Amino acid sequence: MEKIDKKSIKLAGSDVIFRGLFDHMPSGSAIYEVMNDGSKGSDYMIRGLNRKGLELEGKTLDEVIGKSLFDLRPNIDEYGLIPVLKKVWETGETAYFPVKIYQDDNFSNYYENYIFKLPSGEIVAIYNDVTDQKMNELALKKSQENFELAMRASNMGIWNWDIKTNTLDWNDRMYELYGIKKSDFPNIYEAWLNGLHPDDRAENDKISEQARRGEREYDTQFRIILPDGSIRFIKALGEVAWDSKGNPERMTGINYDITESKKAEERILQAQKLESVGILAGGIAHDFNNILFPIIGMSEMLLEDLSPDSEEYGNAQEILAAGKRGSDLIKQILALGRQSENKMMPVHFHEILKEVLTLCRSTIPANIDITHEIQENVYPVTANPTQMHQLTMNLITNAYHAIDGTSGTIHLTFKEIVLGLDDVKNYLLAPGRYALLSVSDTGSGIPKALIDKIFEPYFTTKEKGKGTGLGLAMVHGIVKEHQGDIKVYSETGRGTTFNVYLPTMEAPGQTVSSFMEESHAVGTERILIIDDEAVIANLERQMLERLGYQITTCVSSLDALEVFRSDPDSFDLVLTDMSMPGMTGDELAGELLLIRPDIPIVLCTGFSEKIDEDTAITMGLKGFLMKPVVQQDIAQTIRKILNGSKDTRELS
């Protein structure tokens, strides 16, 4: 191809002007010089063409000079360029004329045309193919649109902080995160400071400063306070841009809501705490119940031997009561760790209330008065005694925390009421007779915005270390499990009252306390007792011998197996501990049943994750007792099993 330079292009007019245009055009531009000869109207003759133009046309300079523009581009009129050329020719005004070409409805090419008229009369058309550039711009625009769409879909707030001017820009999502309107806070930086939780400001400032110094990335979490007082957790990520002198210029980043994930973390943490409590409770329950068993059992026998009028009798009663409280405490811990059964039975609720009040009085500071009005002739409720204890303890503890730090009063009321059809319209209850427990305090009260949330698991307004957020949730669950209802009435600054409604039995019936007062079931049968704790084996022997039974004791499960194997028919019942070295109680029971399938076996344990009452029955055992066992329980269980065994033998 012939070498072309600016000097080789013949100019009919101002060579200086054209040369200047040539010098300032992009290197990739094709430059056409045309002249209308006037004889053909729209026939524009080519007077000059630069190297890029020749490459684009695929011709030499000799092949194009003097040719018509239509010879080179027969379809040029389709793009609308000719009217533009004509207008420039007639008016002398410079024109910019882009050409977009589509193929199958898709953008394929983009050309830019700059058209000038020289003083000499020639037209110079600068033709530039910018398809790649436009393709990249469209791709970038599409990418930005997709990014913005993704940001909106991910609910991310985007911010840009000009460090030098200390100004902040937000997108609309940021306003949504902070629960505010753009019109309420013209100054975005003020809006951010206003929403940031005061306790998190120092840490956020520290991380921001470290990021500005280049010591770390801006990656943090903080809390914001919404206008309604609720708390939202925010995850913030950002990067710092630096100017040419190495100074921080701006920080750009994203914010997104992690409140739900934080709540999930808290729930997992609380669940782990509960699991730990359960594991701890299970670990100590067996040994602790083995300690309590002799205390309870020996004090019961002392009460039988002592005169009711003696001082020693009163002391023994106190020992028995303390032992039972210790046993109840273990049951509560096991229940909290979900490792105990929730058996329902007739319960005189007022008796539990008295025990709880005695316990609370010793733990709640003297500056808080505890008063009560307890009606004792209330019909019993069908309930789990341990859960009733938990319910009352949690309500009183909650009242104490509401008053904590000041003087005040906790008032407990218990009475029986009858709700008619009109009375239950606002309750999740059926008409009928109910036991009503009211616990009131003179504390700070509950704000209206929070009163609907207080029964949610893990929700708490107490400062860290003063509550898990589980107490009222547990109360609510217990009430619902017992087919009752709970209502709360509160006014900020004037205290709170919780009313618990529990359905009572239709008739007084037999309650836990009256059952305990029945005479002991006696007998003369032969019983084999096995427990690796000699004190407990001896205690059980004394208990049952006082009732007339003939007792053989063993402190080794392996020894007991040999004793039984030597004369299986010499025993009417076996009472065995669960956790023993050499052979556990359930393993021993299996061996005994292989020797004599009809032998009644009662398993007695302080705690076992391995076996419960249902498992024991499935194994073929006749009874299951949890230590510490009072004499009445062990006597009634054994008598019931032996009577059943006799009936079975008689039928066979």
Side-chain angles (χ1 to χ4, degrees), residues 283-355:
I284 68 172
H286 181 270
D287 291 339
F288 194 46
N289 281 330
N290 277 347
I291 294 170
L292 290 172
F293 195 178
I295 295 174
I296 292 174
M298 294 295 185
S299 59
E300 280 191 316
M301 289 190 290
L302 281 174
L303 290 173
E304 292 179 357
D305 296 339
L306 295 170
S307 169
D309 298 328
S310 66
E311 183 179 353
E312 289 79 6
Y313 186 90
N315 293 338
Q317 282 185 317
E318 291 298 326
I319 295 172
L320 178 60
K324 288 181 177 179
R325 282 197 296 272
S327 176
D328 290 340
L329 180 60
I330 286 294
K331 290 177 182 177
Q332 289 179 55
I333 297 174
L334 289 173
L336 184 61
R338 299 296 189 267
Q339 299 197 44
S340 66
E341 298 181 54
N342 293 326
K343 290 185 177 180
M344 300 292 192
M345 61 184 68
V347 174
H348 273 310
F349 201 178
H350 71 273
E351 295 180 352
I352 291 177
L353 297 179
K354 290 179 180 179
E355 289 183 10

Side-chain angles (χ1 to χ4, degrees), residues 16 22 104 140 194 201 204 208 259 291 307 344 358-359 407 473 552 582 601 618 639:
V16 175
F22 191 98
D104 298 329
L140 178 60
N194 184 73
R201 289 184 181 179
N204 185 78
S208 297
T259 304
I291 294 170
S307 169
M344 300 292 192
T358 301
L359 181 61
S407 297
T552 301
I601 301 175
T618 302
R639 188 68 265 154

Side-chain angles (χ1 to χ4, degrees), residues 470-609:
L470 291 173
L472 291 179
M474 183 181 290
V475 167
H476 186 270
I478 291 172
V479 170
K480 295 304 178 184
E481 186 177 348
H482 287 76
Q483 285 76 53
D485 198 9
I486 182 169
K487 295 290 183 180
V488 57
Y489 307 92
S490 186
E491 186 175 344
T492 304
R494 303 190 65 177
T496 303
T497 296
F498 287 89
N499 286 344
V500 174
Y501 301 83
L502 296 173
T504 64
M505 300 174 66
E506 291 300 319
Q510 185 184 65
T511 67
V512 177
S513 57
S514 61
F515 177 80
M516 296 297 291
E517 293 168 0
E518 290 184 354
S519 60
H520 298 325
V522 297
T524 59
E525 287 86 351
R526 298 158 299 174
I527 298 175
L528 174 60
I529 293 176
I530 309 104
D531 197 302
D532 62 314
E533 295 275 352
V535 174
I536 294 177
N538 183 53
L539 171 63
E540 290 173 338
R541 177 186 62 78
Q542 291 186 58
M543 280 182 173
L544 296 178
E545 283 181 344
R546 288 185 175 221
L547 298 175
Y549 294 103
Q550 303 174 54
I551 306 299
T552 301
T553 60
C554 292
V555 292
S556 164
S557 52
L558 297 176
D559 290 345
L561 179 59
E562 293 304 316
V563 170
F564 186 84
R565 182 180 284 124
S566 65
D567 190 1
D569 293 326
S570 64
F571 300 103
D572 299 299
L573 181 140
V574 175
L575 175 66
T576 179
D577 185 29
M578 174 62 188
S579 299
M580 296 183 293
M583 181 181 290
T584 60
D586 58 330
E587 293 171 342
L588 173 62
E591 294 294 328
L592 298 181
L593 289 172
L594 288 176
I595 298 171
R596 183 182 155 190
D598 67 332
I599 183 68
I601 301 175
V602 178
L603 191 65
C604 187
T605 181
F607 172 76
S608 174
E609 293 181 344

Side-chain angles (χ1 to χ4, degrees), residues 290-489:
N290 277 347
I291 294 170
L292 290 172
F293 195 178
I295 295 174
I296 292 174
M298 294 295 185
S299 59
E300 280 191 316
M301 289 190 290
L302 281 174
L303 290 173
E304 292 179 357
D305 296 339
L306 295 170
S307 169
D309 298 328
S310 66
E311 183 179 353
E312 289 79 6
Y313 186 90
N315 293 338
Q317 282 185 317
E318 291 298 326
I319 295 172
L320 178 60
K324 288 181 177 179
R325 282 197 296 272
S327 176
D328 290 340
L329 180 60
I330 286 294
K331 290 177 182 177
Q332 289 179 55
I333 297 174
L334 289 173
L336 184 61
R338 299 296 189 267
Q339 299 197 44
S340 66
E341 298 181 54
N342 293 326
K343 290 185 177 180
M344 300 292 192
M345 61 184 68
V347 174
H348 273 310
F349 201 178
H350 71 273
E351 295 180 352
I352 291 177
L353 297 179
K354 290 179 180 179
E355 289 183 10
V356 172
L357 286 169
T358 301
L359 181 61
C360 288
R361 184 65 281 175
S362 63
T363 57
I364 292 178
N367 63 307
I368 298 177
D369 292 329
I370 302 177
T371 60
H372 59 84
E373 298 175 57
I374 297 178
Q375 180 183 337
E376 295 193 1
N377 60 345
V378 176
Y379 277 27
V381 297
T382 302
N384 174 269
T386 300
Q387 287 189 325
M388 291 299 98
H389 194 284
Q390 290 174 335
L391 181 151
T392 310
M393 279 290 296
N394 276 307
L395 286 177
I396 294 178
T397 301
N398 185 75
Y400 159 54
H401 285 153
I403 304 172
D404 190 20
T406 62
S407 297
T409 301
I410 298 172
H411 184 70
L412 185 148
T413 302
F414 181 71
K415 62 183 179 180
E416 185 175 273
I417 62 171
V418 177
L419 298 178
L421 190 59
D422 292 335
D423 299 320
V424 298
K425 290 180 180 179
N426 297 323
Y427 299 86
L428 299 175
L429 300 171
R433 188 188 303 272
Y434 289 87
L436 170 61
L437 169 65
S438 294
V439 179
S440 302
D441 66 70
T442 57
S444 56
I446 305 170
K448 289 183 179 179
L450 302 180
I451 203 161
D452 292 333
K453 300 180 180 181
I454 59 174
F455 294 117
E456 294 178 5
Y458 310 105
F459 176 81
T460 180
T461 58
K462 299 166 188 172
E463 62 185 76
K464 191 172 183 180
K466 288 201 173 182
T468 62
L470 291 173
L472 291 179
M474 183 181 290
V475 167
H476 186 270
I478 291 172
V479 170
K480 295 304 178 184
E481 186 177 348
H482 287 76
Q483 285 76 53
D485 198 9
I486 182 169
K487 295 290 183 180
V488 57
Y489 307 92

Side-chain angles (χ1 to χ4, degrees), residues 44-60:
Y44 294 90
M45 308 306 296
I46 297 176
R47 299 290 302 276
L49 190 61
N50 72 340
R51 181 189 298 275
K52 183 63 179 178
L54 293 173
E55 292 176 359
L56 187 66
E57 301 296 344
K59 296 181 182 300
T60 65

